[in-house]
Amino acid sequence: MRAWLERRNMTWGDVPVWLIGMIVALAWAAPFIWMVSTSFKFPSDVLTESIEWLPTRPTIENYVKIFTGFPVLRWLANSVIQATVSTTLCVFFGAMAGFALARFQFPGRGIIFMVFLASLMIPVEVSVIPMLLAFIKVGWASTYQALILPTIANVFSVYIFRQFFLTFPKELEEAARLDGAKPFWLFLLVALPLARAPMIAAAVIVFTLNWNNFLWPLLVTFDESMKTMPVGIASFAPVVGTHTQLEGYSVAMAGVTVLSIPSLLLFFFLQKYFIQGISQGGLKQ
């Protein structure tokens, strides 16, 4: 046991924390495992008296149904375009705002940052109806502009970059200014390349939020061809009105499984930089 602890740089005091963490991780993973397992089951094997964590008769019929019976590839393309463009713009503008709030001295800087943080307490539902009416009035409903523009501002992205740029070395900033660098080029060519970790952390969070966004795309898309994946898979809902469709459960789980893959892959490959970026943005002053 001691050798096992040494290999993991742990002490006996870390064991209870590790055990609690494992229990929490298993509790978190259980619904995901159930979702994936259900997606490979026949409809008649979903609602059974005994719990079956693994399908006794695995099938890919549910995945065939969603890809052949619905325009899933179109929904996926819409989600990729919306989430990628929104994330790119959101991270870039968040970095600009964070750099300005951290490095520039101007009246009201602290008040502006407090207003940014206070805006987190405003429910999204308060603003969606005015935005929806505005986009309908200008003729942008069911367009990529309507899907992207409301999502390019994210306070959490600004916060991560502000906390990181508070620790930005003054020597680099002064050297760039002596070389004649203007504020924008100082940000773009010197500061931004050094912010890789918070950039990746913000990108993972913002991409996941945009990828899973349901309410706004549901309201602003009236055409089937402009639906995003979260809105599209609502078509697989097992409950319609007061009637329950038994076969809807397995098909719905297949759709949700497909929806979850991009976010999981993104975090899996970038988790090292994600954790580093969060720690830099939240702990350093």
mmCIF file of all heavy atoms in Angstrom, residues 193-242:
data_model
loop_
_atom_site.group_PDB
_atom_site.id
_atom_site.type_symbol
_atom_site.label_atom_id
_atom_site.label_comp_id
_atom_site.label_asym_id
_atom_site.label_seq_id
_atom_site.Cartn_x
_atom_site.Cartn_y
_atom_site.Cartn_z
ATOM 1 N N PRO A 193 -0.365 35.733 -27.128
ATOM 2 C CA PRO A 193 0.338 34.448 -27.283
ATOM 3 C C PRO A 193 0.774 33.820 -25.964
ATOM 4 O O PRO A 193 0.944 32.598 -25.892
ATOM 5 C CB PRO A 193 1.564 34.825 -28.138
ATOM 6 C CG PRO A 193 1.143 36.048 -28.890
ATOM 7 C CD PRO A 193 0.274 36.797 -27.927
ATOM 8 N N LEU A 194 0.962 34.632 -24.921
ATOM 9 C CA LEU A 194 1.363 34.099 -23.627
ATOM 10 C C LEU A 194 0.178 33.593 -22.808
ATOM 11 O O LEU A 194 0.370 33.001 -21.750
ATOM 12 C CB LEU A 194 2.112 35.174 -22.831
ATOM 13 C CG LEU A 194 3.438 35.661 -23.429
ATOM 14 C CD1 LEU A 194 4.032 36.776 -22.580
ATOM 15 C CD2 LEU A 194 4.426 34.505 -23.541
ATOM 16 N N ALA A 195 -1.032 33.844 -23.282
ATOM 17 C CA ALA A 195 -2.233 33.476 -22.537
ATOM 18 C C ALA A 195 -2.831 32.181 -23.061
ATOM 19 O O ALA A 195 -4.066 32.048 -23.133
ATOM 20 C CB ALA A 195 -3.252 34.613 -22.609
ATOM 21 N N ARG A 196 -1.997 31.231 -23.430
ATOM 22 C CA ARG A 196 -2.505 30.002 -24.023
ATOM 23 C C ARG A 196 -3.391 29.217 -23.052
ATOM 24 O O ARG A 196 -4.476 28.755 -23.420
ATOM 25 C CB ARG A 196 -1.353 29.120 -24.497
ATOM 26 C CG ARG A 196 -1.822 27.837 -25.176
ATOM 27 C CD ARG A 196 -0.673 27.001 -25.669
ATOM 28 N NE ARG A 196 0.156 26.495 -24.572
ATOM 29 C CZ ARG A 196 1.128 25.602 -24.725
ATOM 30 N NH1 ARG A 196 1.415 25.153 -25.930
ATOM 31 N NH2 ARG A 196 1.824 25.189 -23.685
ATOM 32 N N ALA A 197 -2.948 29.067 -21.795
ATOM 33 C CA ALA A 197 -3.714 28.275 -20.831
ATOM 34 C C ALA A 197 -5.086 28.889 -20.544
ATOM 35 O O ALA A 197 -6.103 28.192 -20.636
ATOM 36 C CB ALA A 197 -2.914 28.097 -19.545
ATOM 37 N N PRO A 198 -5.177 30.183 -20.187
ATOM 38 C CA PRO A 198 -6.529 30.736 -19.980
ATOM 39 C C PRO A 198 -7.348 30.770 -21.251
ATOM 40 O O PRO A 198 -8.580 30.664 -21.201
ATOM 41 C CB PRO A 198 -6.252 32.155 -19.450
ATOM 42 C CG PRO A 198 -4.871 32.463 -19.854
ATOM 43 C CD PRO A 198 -4.136 31.160 -19.848
ATOM 44 N N MET A 199 -6.692 30.889 -22.401
ATOM 45 C CA MET A 199 -7.421 30.877 -23.670
ATOM 46 C C MET A 199 -8.088 29.522 -23.884
ATOM 47 O O MET A 199 -9.256 29.449 -24.286
ATOM 48 C CB MET A 199 -6.462 31.186 -24.831
ATOM 49 C CG MET A 199 -7.143 31.444 -26.160
ATOM 50 S SD MET A 199 -5.940 31.653 -27.507
ATOM 51 C CE MET A 199 -4.851 32.899 -26.806
ATOM 52 N N ILE A 200 -7.362 28.446 -23.608
ATOM 53 C CA ILE A 200 -7.921 27.107 -23.779
ATOM 54 C C ILE A 200 -9.009 26.857 -22.749
ATOM 55 O O ILE A 200 -10.068 26.288 -23.064
ATOM 56 C CB ILE A 200 -6.811 26.049 -23.674
ATOM 57 C CG1 ILE A 200 -5.873 26.159 -24.876
ATOM 58 C CG2 ILE A 200 -7.397 24.645 -23.575
ATOM 59 C CD1 ILE A 200 -4.682 25.229 -24.821
ATOM 60 N N ALA A 201 -8.798 27.302 -21.490
ATOM 61 C CA ALA A 201 -9.819 27.122 -20.460
ATOM 62 C C ALA A 201 -11.104 27.842 -20.839
ATOM 63 O O ALA A 201 -12.201 27.273 -20.747
ATOM 64 C CB ALA A 201 -9.300 27.637 -19.113
ATOM 65 N N ALA A 202 -10.974 29.082 -21.288
ATOM 66 C CA ALA A 202 -12.163 29.839 -21.699
ATOM 67 C C ALA A 202 -12.815 29.198 -22.915
ATOM 68 O O ALA A 202 -14.057 29.130 -23.005
ATOM 69 C CB ALA A 202 -11.772 31.286 -22.000
ATOM 70 N N ALA A 203 -12.009 28.715 -23.861
ATOM 71 C CA ALA A 203 -12.558 28.113 -25.072
ATOM 72 C C ALA A 203 -13.352 26.850 -24.751
ATOM 73 O O ALA A 203 -14.434 26.625 -25.318
ATOM 74 C CB ALA A 203 -11.431 27.789 -26.053
ATOM 75 N N VAL A 204 -12.847 26.018 -23.837
ATOM 76 C CA VAL A 204 -13.557 24.787 -23.473
ATOM 77 C C VAL A 204 -14.895 25.112 -22.832
ATOM 78 O O VAL A 204 -15.932 24.525 -23.171
ATOM 79 C CB VAL A 204 -12.692 23.933 -22.531
ATOM 80 C CG1 VAL A 204 -13.501 22.765 -21.965
ATOM 81 C CG2 VAL A 204 -11.463 23.405 -23.261
ATOM 82 N N ILE A 205 -14.885 26.073 -21.906
ATOM 83 C CA ILE A 205 -16.127 26.429 -21.208
ATOM 84 C C ILE A 205 -17.131 27.050 -22.170
ATOM 85 O O ILE A 205 -18.310 26.662 -22.216
ATOM 86 C CB ILE A 205 -15.823 27.399 -20.050
ATOM 87 C CG1 ILE A 205 -14.988 26.687 -18.985
ATOM 88 C CG2 ILE A 205 -17.117 27.940 -19.450
ATOM 89 C CD1 ILE A 205 -14.493 27.596 -17.890
ATOM 90 N N VAL A 206 -16.675 28.019 -22.969
ATOM 91 C CA VAL A 206 -17.587 28.728 -23.868
ATOM 92 C C VAL A 206 -18.100 27.793 -24.961
ATOM 93 O O VAL A 206 -19.284 27.836 -25.326
ATOM 94 C CB VAL A 206 -16.881 29.958 -24.474
ATOM 95 C CG1 VAL A 206 -17.753 30.620 -25.537
ATOM 96 C CG2 VAL A 206 -16.549 30.959 -23.384
ATOM 97 N N PHE A 207 -17.219 26.939 -25.499
ATOM 98 C CA PHE A 207 -17.661 26.001 -26.536
ATOM 99 C C PHE A 207 -18.730 25.058 -25.992
ATOM 100 O O PHE A 207 -19.733 24.787 -26.668
ATOM 101 C CB PHE A 207 -16.479 25.201 -27.067
ATOM 102 C CG PHE A 207 -16.858 24.211 -28.147
ATOM 103 C CD1 PHE A 207 -16.876 24.595 -29.476
ATOM 104 C CD2 PHE A 207 -17.190 22.901 -27.834
ATOM 105 C CE1 PHE A 207 -17.242 23.698 -30.482
ATOM 106 C CE2 PHE A 207 -17.553 21.991 -28.818
ATOM 107 C CZ PHE A 207 -17.575 22.397 -30.150
ATOM 108 N N THR A 208 -18.521 24.561 -24.785
ATOM 109 C CA THR A 208 -19.497 23.648 -24.193
ATOM 110 C C THR A 208 -20.840 24.337 -23.981
ATOM 111 O O THR A 208 -21.904 23.764 -24.256
ATOM 112 C CB THR A 208 -18.972 23.103 -22.859
ATOM 113 O OG1 THR A 208 -17.712 22.442 -23.073
ATOM 114 C CG2 THR A 208 -19.953 22.105 -22.254
ATOM 115 N N LEU A 209 -20.799 25.592 -23.498
ATOM 116 C CA LEU A 209 -22.043 26.337 -23.305
ATOM 117 C C LEU A 209 -22.761 26.561 -24.629
ATOM 118 O O LEU A 209 -23.989 26.396 -24.725
ATOM 119 C CB LEU A 209 -21.746 27.684 -22.640
ATOM 120 C CG LEU A 209 -21.278 27.632 -21.181
ATOM 121 C CD1 LEU A 209 -20.888 29.032 -20.707
ATOM 122 C CD2 LEU A 209 -22.348 27.053 -20.279
ATOM 123 N N ASN A 210 -22.003 26.933 -25.664
ATOM 124 C CA ASN A 210 -22.613 27.179 -26.970
ATOM 125 C C ASN A 210 -23.113 25.888 -27.607
ATOM 126 O O ASN A 210 -24.181 25.861 -28.234
ATOM 127 C CB ASN A 210 -21.611 27.858 -27.904
ATOM 128 C CG ASN A 210 -21.372 29.308 -27.542
ATOM 129 O OD1 ASN A 210 -22.290 30.015 -27.156
ATOM 130 N ND2 ASN A 210 -20.141 29.768 -27.652
ATOM 131 N N TRP A 211 -22.358 24.823 -27.461
ATOM 132 C CA TRP A 211 -22.733 23.547 -28.069
ATOM 133 C C TRP A 211 -24.032 23.005 -27.453
ATOM 134 O O TRP A 211 -24.862 22.434 -28.156
ATOM 135 C CB TRP A 211 -21.608 22.539 -27.890
ATOM 136 C CG TRP A 211 -21.870 21.217 -28.540
ATOM 137 C CD1 TRP A 211 -22.350 20.092 -27.937
ATOM 138 C CD2 TRP A 211 -21.707 20.883 -29.924
ATOM 139 N NE1 TRP A 211 -22.477 19.074 -28.841
ATOM 140 C CE2 TRP A 211 -22.081 19.528 -30.080
ATOM 141 C CE3 TRP A 211 -21.256 21.587 -31.035
ATOM 142 C CZ2 TRP A 211 -22.043 18.876 -31.300
ATOM 143 C CZ3 TRP A 211 -21.209 20.931 -32.260
ATOM 144 C CH2 TRP A 211 -21.593 19.595 -32.378
ATOM 145 N N ASN A 212 -24.192 23.206 -26.148
ATOM 146 C CA ASN A 212 -25.366 22.677 -25.459
ATOM 147 C C ASN A 212 -26.508 23.694 -25.347
ATOM 148 O O ASN A 212 -27.528 23.393 -24.725
ATOM 149 C CB ASN A 212 -24.980 22.203 -24.056
ATOM 150 C CG ASN A 212 -24.026 21.028 -24.083
ATOM 151 O OD1 ASN A 212 -24.122 20.165 -24.943
ATOM 152 N ND2 ASN A 212 -23.082 21.000 -23.159
ATOM 153 N N ASN A 213 -26.321 24.879 -25.912
ATOM 154 C CA ASN A 213 -27.340 25.916 -25.802
ATOM 155 C C ASN A 213 -28.646 25.453 -26.453
ATOM 156 O O ASN A 213 -28.659 25.006 -27.605
ATOM 157 C CB ASN A 213 -26.842 27.196 -26.482
ATOM 158 C CG ASN A 213 -27.727 28.386 -26.169
ATOM 159 O OD1 ASN A 213 -28.632 28.304 -25.330
ATOM 160 N ND2 ASN A 213 -27.481 29.489 -26.826
ATOM 161 N N PHE A 214 -29.723 25.571 -25.711
ATOM 162 C CA PHE A 214 -31.007 25.076 -26.210
ATOM 163 C C PHE A 214 -32.058 26.175 -26.363
ATOM 164 O O PHE A 214 -32.725 26.274 -27.406
ATOM 165 C CB PHE A 214 -31.544 23.989 -25.271
ATOM 166 C CG PHE A 214 -32.908 23.476 -25.645
ATOM 167 C CD1 PHE A 214 -33.069 22.572 -26.681
ATOM 168 C CD2 PHE A 214 -34.037 23.905 -24.958
ATOM 169 C CE1 PHE A 214 -34.332 22.102 -27.036
ATOM 170 C CE2 PHE A 214 -35.296 23.448 -25.302
ATOM 171 C CZ PHE A 214 -35.444 22.538 -26.344
ATOM 172 N N LEU A 215 -32.198 27.019 -25.347
ATOM 173 C CA LEU A 215 -33.311 27.968 -25.322
ATOM 174 C C LEU A 215 -33.258 28.959 -26.482
ATOM 175 O O LEU A 215 -34.243 29.111 -27.219
ATOM 176 C CB LEU A 215 -33.319 28.726 -23.987
ATOM 177 C CG LEU A 215 -34.413 29.789 -23.838
ATOM 178 C CD1 LEU A 215 -35.795 29.154 -23.955
ATOM 179 C CD2 LEU A 215 -34.266 30.521 -22.518
ATOM 180 N N TRP A 216 -32.102 29.630 -26.660
ATOM 181 C CA TRP A 216 -32.034 30.657 -27.704
ATOM 182 C C TRP A 216 -32.181 30.059 -29.107
ATOM 183 O O TRP A 216 -32.975 30.564 -29.915
ATOM 184 C CB TRP A 216 -30.748 31.459 -27.573
ATOM 185 C CG TRP A 216 -30.571 32.472 -28.665
ATOM 186 C CD1 TRP A 216 -29.620 32.479 -29.641
ATOM 187 C CD2 TRP A 216 -31.382 33.632 -28.903
ATOM 188 N NE1 TRP A 216 -29.776 33.550 -30.464
ATOM 189 C CE2 TRP A 216 -30.852 34.281 -30.046
ATOM 190 C CE3 TRP A 216 -32.505 34.175 -28.275
ATOM 191 C CZ2 TRP A 216 -31.405 35.440 -30.563
ATOM 192 C CZ3 TRP A 216 -33.051 35.333 -28.795
ATOM 193 C CH2 TRP A 216 -32.512 35.953 -29.928
ATOM 194 N N PRO A 217 -31.454 29.002 -29.469
ATOM 195 C CA PRO A 217 -31.678 28.406 -30.805
ATOM 196 C C PRO A 217 -33.101 27.907 -31.008
ATOM 197 O O PRO A 217 -33.633 27.959 -32.117
ATOM 198 C CB PRO A 217 -30.672 27.252 -30.856
ATOM 199 C CG PRO A 217 -29.606 27.641 -29.896
ATOM 200 C CD PRO A 217 -30.314 28.366 -28.794
ATOM 201 N N LEU A 218 -33.742 27.429 -29.938
ATOM 202 C CA LEU A 218 -35.127 26.964 -30.049
ATOM 203 C C LEU A 218 -36.054 28.112 -30.435
ATOM 204 O O LEU A 218 -36.960 27.951 -31.260
ATOM 205 C CB LEU A 218 -35.577 26.352 -28.724
ATOM 206 C CG LEU A 218 -37.055 25.955 -28.621
ATOM 207 C CD1 LEU A 218 -37.372 24.811 -29.576
ATOM 208 C CD2 LEU A 218 -37.411 25.583 -27.186
ATOM 209 N N LEU A 219 -35.827 29.295 -29.857
ATOM 210 C CA LEU A 219 -36.705 30.436 -30.098
ATOM 211 C C LEU A 219 -36.451 31.095 -31.446
ATOM 212 O O LEU A 219 -37.379 31.561 -32.103
ATOM 213 C CB LEU A 219 -36.541 31.473 -28.978
ATOM 214 C CG LEU A 219 -36.984 31.041 -27.578
ATOM 215 C CD1 LEU A 219 -36.664 32.130 -26.571
ATOM 216 C CD2 LEU A 219 -38.467 30.708 -27.546
ATOM 217 N N VAL A 220 -35.178 31.149 -31.867
ATOM 218 C CA VAL A 220 -34.836 31.983 -33.019
ATOM 219 C C VAL A 220 -34.780 31.211 -34.331
ATOM 220 O O VAL A 220 -34.632 31.811 -35.394
ATOM 221 C CB VAL A 220 -33.488 32.701 -32.760
ATOM 222 C CG1 VAL A 220 -32.301 31.771 -33.060
ATOM 223 C CG2 VAL A 220 -33.395 33.993 -33.552
ATOM 224 N N THR A 221 -34.875 29.888 -34.295
ATOM 225 C CA THR A 221 -34.846 29.093 -35.530
ATOM 226 C C THR A 221 -36.243 28.562 -35.831
ATOM 227 O O THR A 221 -36.800 27.798 -35.039
ATOM 228 C CB THR A 221 -33.856 27.918 -35.412
ATOM 229 O OG1 THR A 221 -34.159 27.143 -34.250
ATOM 230 C CG2 THR A 221 -32.427 28.428 -35.315
ATOM 231 N N PHE A 222 -36.779 28.975 -36.965
ATOM 232 C CA PHE A 222 -38.102 28.529 -37.380
ATOM 233 C C PHE A 222 -38.035 27.498 -38.506
ATOM 234 O O PHE A 222 -39.040 26.872 -38.817
ATOM 235 C CB PHE A 222 -38.938 29.727 -37.840
ATOM 236 C CG PHE A 222 -39.024 30.827 -36.810
ATOM 237 C CD1 PHE A 222 -38.771 32.146 -37.157
ATOM 238 C CD2 PHE A 222 -39.332 30.534 -35.497
ATOM 239 C CE1 PHE A 222 -38.846 33.160 -36.207
ATOM 240 C CE2 PHE A 222 -39.417 31.533 -34.535
ATOM 241 C CZ PHE A 222 -39.170 32.849 -34.901
ATOM 242 N N ASP A 223 -36.875 27.363 -39.133
ATOM 243 C CA ASP A 223 -36.707 26.412 -40.236
ATOM 244 C C ASP A 223 -36.009 25.155 -39.738
ATOM 245 O O ASP A 223 -35.056 25.231 -38.942
ATOM 246 C CB ASP A 223 -35.892 27.041 -41.369
ATOM 247 C CG ASP A 223 -36.574 28.276 -41.943
ATOM 248 O OD1 ASP A 223 -37.815 28.346 -41.853
ATOM 249 O OD2 ASP A 223 -35.859 29.154 -42.466
ATOM 250 N N GLU A 224 -36.445 24.019 -40.231
ATOM 251 C CA GLU A 224 -35.823 22.748 -39.850
ATOM 252 C C GLU A 224 -34.343 22.720 -40.193
ATOM 253 O O GLU A 224 -33.536 22.160 -39.453
ATOM 254 C CB GLU A 224 -36.553 21.600 -40.561
ATOM 255 C CG GLU A 224 -36.135 20.214 -40.107
ATOM 256 C CD GLU A 224 -36.719 19.830 -38.762
ATOM 257 O OE1 GLU A 224 -37.681 20.488 -38.316
ATOM 258 O OE2 GLU A 224 -36.225 18.863 -38.165
ATOM 259 N N SER A 225 -33.975 23.353 -41.314
ATOM 260 C CA SER A 225 -32.590 23.315 -41.773
ATOM 261 C C SER A 225 -31.661 24.161 -40.922
ATOM 262 O O SER A 225 -30.445 24.038 -41.031
ATOM 263 C CB SER A 225 -32.503 23.801 -43.225
ATOM 264 O OG SER A 225 -32.956 25.143 -43.330
ATOM 265 N N MET A 226 -32.187 25.043 -40.064
ATOM 266 C CA MET A 226 -31.345 25.905 -39.240
ATOM 267 C C MET A 226 -31.305 25.465 -37.776
ATOM 268 O O MET A 226 -30.676 26.127 -36.946
ATOM 269 C CB MET A 226 -31.836 27.353 -39.321
ATOM 270 C CG MET A 226 -31.506 28.055 -40.619
ATOM 271 S SD MET A 226 -29.728 28.033 -41.007
ATOM 272 C CE MET A 226 -29.056 28.888 -39.589
ATOM 273 N N LYS A 227 -31.939 24.371 -37.458
ATOM 274 C CA LYS A 227 -31.904 23.886 -36.081
ATOM 275 C C LYS A 227 -30.497 23.442 -35.705
ATOM 276 O O LYS A 227 -29.748 22.934 -36.538
ATOM 277 C CB LYS A 227 -32.865 22.710 -35.901
ATOM 278 C CG LYS A 227 -34.339 23.091 -35.870
ATOM 279 C CD LYS A 227 -35.193 21.863 -35.615
ATOM 280 C CE LYS A 227 -36.667 22.219 -35.536
ATOM 281 N NZ LYS A 227 -37.511 21.025 -35.276
ATOM 282 N N THR A 228 -30.141 23.615 -34.443
ATOM 283 C CA THR A 228 -28.897 23.072 -33.928
ATOM 284 C C THR A 228 -29.172 21.694 -33.323
ATOM 285 O O THR A 228 -30.326 21.293 -33.159
ATOM 286 C CB THR A 228 -28.288 24.004 -32.874
ATOM 287 O OG1 THR A 228 -29.239 24.193 -31.808
ATOM 288 C CG2 THR A 228 -27.933 25.358 -33.477
ATOM 289 N N MET A 229 -28.118 20.994 -32.973
ATOM 290 C CA MET A 229 -28.279 19.619 -32.494
ATOM 291 C C MET A 229 -29.121 19.529 -31.220
ATOM 292 O O MET A 229 -30.005 18.658 -31.135
ATOM 293 C CB MET A 229 -26.901 18.994 -32.270
ATOM 294 C CG MET A 229 -26.915 17.503 -32.043
ATOM 295 S SD MET A 229 -27.588 16.601 -33.452
ATOM 296 C CE MET A 229 -27.545 14.923 -32.813
ATOM 297 N N PRO A 230 -28.922 20.383 -30.199
ATOM 298 C CA PRO A 230 -29.781 20.269 -29.010
ATOM 299 C C PRO A 230 -31.254 20.466 -29.318
ATOM 300 O O PRO A 230 -32.113 19.795 -28.734
ATOM 301 C CB PRO A 230 -29.251 21.382 -28.092
ATOM 302 C CG PRO A 230 -27.844 21.595 -28.523
ATOM 303 C CD PRO A 230 -27.845 21.371 -30.003
ATOM 304 N N VAL A 231 -31.575 21.397 -30.217
ATOM 305 C CA VAL A 231 -32.970 21.623 -30.582
ATOM 306 C C VAL A 231 -33.493 20.444 -31.406
ATOM 307 O O VAL A 231 -34.632 20.003 -31.223
ATOM 308 C CB VAL A 231 -33.119 22.937 -31.371
ATOM 309 C CG1 VAL A 231 -34.565 23.146 -31.807
ATOM 310 C CG2 VAL A 231 -32.640 24.115 -30.528
ATOM 311 N N GLY A 232 -32.669 19.932 -32.294
ATOM 312 C CA GLY A 232 -33.094 18.839 -33.154
ATOM 313 C C GLY A 232 -33.412 17.573 -32.388
ATOM 314 O O GLY A 232 -34.417 16.900 -32.671
ATOM 315 N N ILE A 233 -32.577 17.242 -31.406
ATOM 316 C CA ILE A 233 -32.798 15.975 -30.699
ATOM 317 C C ILE A 233 -34.011 16.054 -29.784
ATOM 318 O O ILE A 233 -34.435 15.025 -29.244
ATOM 319 C CB ILE A 233 -31.563 15.546 -29.892
ATOM 320 C CG1 ILE A 233 -31.251 16.554 -28.789
ATOM 321 C CG2 ILE A 233 -30.379 15.313 -30.785
ATOM 322 C CD1 ILE A 233 -30.132 16.107 -27.878
ATOM 323 N N ALA A 234 -34.579 17.256 -29.606
ATOM 324 C CA ALA A 234 -35.842 17.332 -28.868
ATOM 325 C C ALA A 234 -36.940 16.592 -29.612
ATOM 326 O O ALA A 234 -37.960 16.215 -29.021
ATOM 327 C CB ALA A 234 -36.235 18.795 -28.655
ATOM 328 N N SER A 235 -36.720 16.363 -30.919
ATOM 329 C CA SER A 235 -37.691 15.596 -31.707
ATOM 330 C C SER A 235 -37.748 14.138 -31.271
ATOM 331 O O SER A 235 -38.711 13.429 -31.592
ATOM 332 C CB SER A 235 -37.320 15.655 -33.194
ATOM 333 O OG SER A 235 -37.165 16.977 -33.647
ATOM 334 N N PHE A 236 -36.710 13.697 -30.554
ATOM 335 C CA PHE A 236 -36.672 12.305 -30.128
ATOM 336 C C PHE A 236 -37.318 12.112 -28.755
ATOM 337 O O PHE A 236 -37.240 11.019 -28.188
ATOM 338 C CB PHE A 236 -35.230 11.794 -30.039
ATOM 339 C CG PHE A 236 -34.402 12.093 -31.258
ATOM 340 C CD1 PHE A 236 -33.033 12.332 -31.136
ATOM 341 C CD2 PHE A 236 -34.969 12.136 -32.511
ATOM 342 C CE1 PHE A 236 -32.264 12.610 -32.254
ATOM 343 C CE2 PHE A 236 -34.208 12.417 -33.627
ATOM 344 C CZ PHE A 236 -32.852 12.653 -33.505
ATOM 345 N N ALA A 237 -37.906 13.166 -28.205
ATOM 346 C CA ALA A 237 -38.456 13.090 -26.853
ATOM 347 C C ALA A 237 -39.442 11.940 -26.745
ATOM 348 O O ALA A 237 -40.347 11.811 -27.577
ATOM 349 C CB ALA A 237 -39.137 14.403 -26.487
ATOM 350 N N PRO A 238 -39.294 11.098 -25.709
ATOM 351 C CA PRO A 238 -40.192 9.949 -25.570
ATOM 352 C C PRO A 238 -41.600 10.331 -25.141
ATOM 353 O O PRO A 238 -42.522 9.547 -25.299
ATOM 354 C CB PRO A 238 -39.510 9.103 -24.494
ATOM 355 C CG PRO A 238 -38.694 10.072 -23.716
ATOM 356 C CD PRO A 238 -38.243 11.114 -24.689
ATOM 357 N N VAL A 239 -41.777 11.531 -24.580
ATOM 358 C CA VAL A 239 -43.094 11.954 -24.112
ATOM 359 C C VAL A 239 -43.619 13.037 -25.035
ATOM 360 O O VAL A 239 -42.987 14.079 -25.209
ATOM 361 C CB VAL A 239 -43.043 12.478 -22.668
ATOM 362 C CG1 VAL A 239 -44.437 12.929 -22.228
ATOM 363 C CG2 VAL A 239 -42.518 11.396 -21.738
ATOM 364 N N VAL A 240 -44.758 12.811 -25.661
ATOM 365 C CA VAL A 240 -45.407 13.772 -26.537
ATOM 366 C C VAL A 240 -46.796 14.048 -25.974
ATOM 367 O O VAL A 240 -47.664 13.174 -25.991
ATOM 368 C CB VAL A 240 -45.512 13.247 -27.984
ATOM 369 C CG1 VAL A 240 -46.210 14.278 -28.858
ATOM 370 C CG2 VAL A 240 -44.120 12.928 -28.528
ATOM 371 N N GLY A 241 -47.004 15.252 -25.467
ATOM 372 C CA GLY A 241 -48.280 15.566 -24.835
ATOM 373 C C GLY A 241 -48.480 14.711 -23.597
ATOM 374 O O GLY A 241 -47.667 14.729 -22.679
ATOM 375 N N THR A 242 -49.534 13.948 -23.583
ATOM 376 C CA THR A 242 -49.806 13.059 -22.448
ATOM 377 C C THR A 242 -49.508 11.606 -22.783
ATOM 378 O O THR A 242 -49.828 10.711 -22.004
ATOM 379 C CB THR A 242 -51.292 13.180 -22.030
ATOM 380 O OG1 THR A 242 -52.123 12.845 -23.151
ATOM 381 C CG2 THR A 242 -51.606 14.591 -21.560
#
